Amino acid sequence: MSTEQAELLIKEAETVARQSYAPYSNFPVGAAVMSKSGRLHMGANIENASYGLTVCAERVALMNAMMAGNAAKQDITALAVWAAKPTNHAVTPCGACRQVMVELMHPNAAVVHFCSEKPGELKIVPVKDLLPGAFSLSS
Ligand code: THU
């Protein structure tokens, strides 16, 4: 994925973060997923008073992509994640979301997030590098 495409996808994630429901953490997150056809699917974090029921932006976006007909593993080619609050470290997907990405995205699909080493720059990582030893039912 080119830097321009990554920047575009992050912009979409930023826009959709406005739809976050995060009254408990006050940490709005947006995610944008791209399918093989170039279509975008969005997600934002949805929290709950029973905190553990919170769903991250990445998983909401991936479920939306699935519901729009991208059920084949090859279909989802990129995901970008954006957080509204400036942090002094990279905004990277959590472990649970990584497990879901491994299941639903192409192994070479690009995951875009902000880079900690060079603030303001984007980091692009292939899904297959995100979760070594991901859980699998078959060997
Ligand atoms: N969150 C995400 O939506 N994506 C991430 O990658 C990490 C965390 C959300 C969950 C919760 O609503 C808030 O950020 C603070 O943890």
Side-chain angles (χ1 to χ4, degrees):
M1 143 171 284
S2 69
T3 314
E4 292 74 40
Q5 280 176 308
E7 276 166 3
L8 204 100
L9 209 55
I10 275 282
K11 270 267 155 241
E12 297 291 340
E14 177 179 355
T15 303
V16 81
R18 288 186 208 131
Q19 292 176 51
S20 156
Y21 175 73
Y24 306 105
S25 72
N26 275 315
F27 193 83
V29 183
V33 161
M34 196 191 287
S35 70
K36 207 165 60 178
S37 66
R39 245 187 99 184
L40 299 183
H41 309 276
M42 305 305 181
N45 54 332
I46 313 287
E47 298 189 342
N48 192 275
S50 177
Y51 300 155
L53 299 182
T54 290
V55 187
C56 293
E58 295 92 319
R59 272 175 287 152
V60 173
L62 285 166
M63 302 305 150
N64 266 336
M66 293 293 280
M67 288 301 96
N70 297 292
K73 199 176 165 92
Q74 312 289 322
D75 283 353
I76 300 175
T77 57
L79 179 150
V81 57
W82 186 91
K85 281 209 174 148
T87 54
N88 56 5
H89 59 86
V91 177
T92 58
C94 79
C97 288
R98 289 173 193 225
Q99 176 73 29
V100 175
M101 287 178 200
V102 167
E103 179 95 25
L104 300 180
M105 296 175 72
H106 190 283
N108 293 321
V111 176
V112 181
H113 55 78
F114 285 109
C115 179
S116 53
E117 297 85 30
K118 297 175 189 162
E121 279 194 25
L122 297 178
K123 190 158 188 168
I124 306 172
V125 189
V127 165
K128 62 176 185 292
D129 291 352
L130 274 181
L131 188 61
F135 175 70
S136 163
L137 280 172
S138 55
S139 53

